[in-house]
Amino acid sequence: MFSFGIHHLSVFRKISRIAFANKHTLPELGYEYNALEPTISGQIMEIHHRKHHQAYVNNLNTAEEQLAEAQHKGDTSKIISLAPALKFNGGGHINHSIFWTNLSPNGGGKPTGELLEAIIKDFGSFEAMKTRLSSSAVAVQGSGWGWLGYDSVTKRLAITALPNQDPLQATTGLIPLLGIDVWEHAYYLQYKNVRLDYVNAIFNIIDWKNVSARFVAAK
C-alpha cells in the first residue's frame, strides 16, 4: 500500500512540473459549442466542457489546497493520500486542455510538412498511422485516451493508449501531440455505444496545424 502511494506521488510531482501553478481555470474554446457539428454535437461539447472539464478544474484546485495544507503541517500520510486525486483531476485538466485545441471546425484532411514526413518515416504512411491510432483508442478498456506523442529520446513518433485521465507526458515521458478522448461522455449521446464510429469521425475535425505546431515545439 505504501509503495502504491509513493508511485502516485512520483507521478504527481511530474505533473506538477508540467502544469500546476496558482489557481486553475477552465480554458475557453476557440469555437462555439455547435461549431464541430455534425461530427460532435453542440450538446455533447457543452456538457463535456462546462460540466466534465470544469469538474476536473474544481477538484484539482481543492486537492492542491489540501496538499498545501498537508505540506505546511508536514503530514506525509495526507500528502500521499492526495496523490491519486491530483493525478486524476490534474490529468483530466491537462488532457482536455490539449484535446480542445486539437479540434477545429476547419479541421480534417491530413498534415503537411515536417509532421507528415515524420509520420511517413515512423509509420509508413498517414493512413497507417491513422489506423494504428484509431485501433489503440478503440481498444481502451473502459475510459481513457488514445495518443499520438513524440519521444524526445528516440526522436520518433509513438502511439499509445492510457486509462482514465492518466497524463501522457508525466506517465510515459512522451510529449503529447494529439489526444482522442474515449470516455463515454465524449461521444455517447450521439454515437451511443459505437466507439469506433466516433473515433473514425473525429478525424474530420482534427486540427493538423495545431498538431504540427506541437510537433515542431517538441523537437
Side-chain angles (χ1 to χ4, degrees), residues 46-107:
E46 184 170 5
I47 293 172
H48 198 168
H49 180 251
R50 291 184 61 185
K51 300 296 184 181
H52 291 278
H53 191 170
Q54 183 67 68
Y56 298 128
V57 170
N58 294 344
N59 292 335
L60 175 59
N61 284 328
T62 297
E64 287 192 317
E65 289 171 4
Q66 294 174 349
L67 175 65
E69 182 179 356
Q71 290 175 326
H72 179 71
K73 294 179 178 179
D75 188 345
T76 303
S77 294
K78 180 65 174 179
I79 292 171
I80 291 173
S81 74
L82 287 168
L86 289 161
K87 178 184 178 184
F88 180 78
N89 292 293
H93 181 38
I94 291 169
N95 294 343
H96 285 88
S97 296
I98 295 169
F99 182 61
W100 307 133
T101 67
N102 281 163
L103 307 179
S104 170
N106 301 313

Side-chain angles (χ1 to χ4, degrees), residues 106 133 156 217:
N106 301 313
L133 179 55
R156 296 178 64 88

Side-chain angles (χ1 to χ4, degrees), residues 112-115 150 177 209-219:
T112 58
E114 292 182 63
L115 177 59
Y150 179 71
L177 306 180
K209 290 183 179 179
N210 177 268
V211 181
S212 295
R214 290 181 179 279
F215 173 64
V216 171
K219 293 175 63 180

Side-chain angles (χ1 to χ4, degrees), residues 19-33:
F20 291 173
N22 303 319
K23 202 84 167 176
H24 302 282
T25 59
L26 182 70
E28 294 185 5
L29 301 182
Y31 39 81
E32 300 297 325
Y33 287 128

Side-chain angles (χ1 to χ4, degrees), residues 39-48 51-52 183-194 198:
T39 302
I40 302 181
S41 74
Q43 183 184 23
I44 287 177
M45 287 298 296
E46 184 170 5
I47 293 172
H48 198 168
K51 300 296 184 181
H52 291 278
W183 280 70
E184 285 189 347
H185 62 241
Y187 63 89
Y188 201 85
L189 290 174
Q190 186 174 352
Y191 294 91
K192 308 305 181 188
N193 63 323
V194 189
Y198 158 73

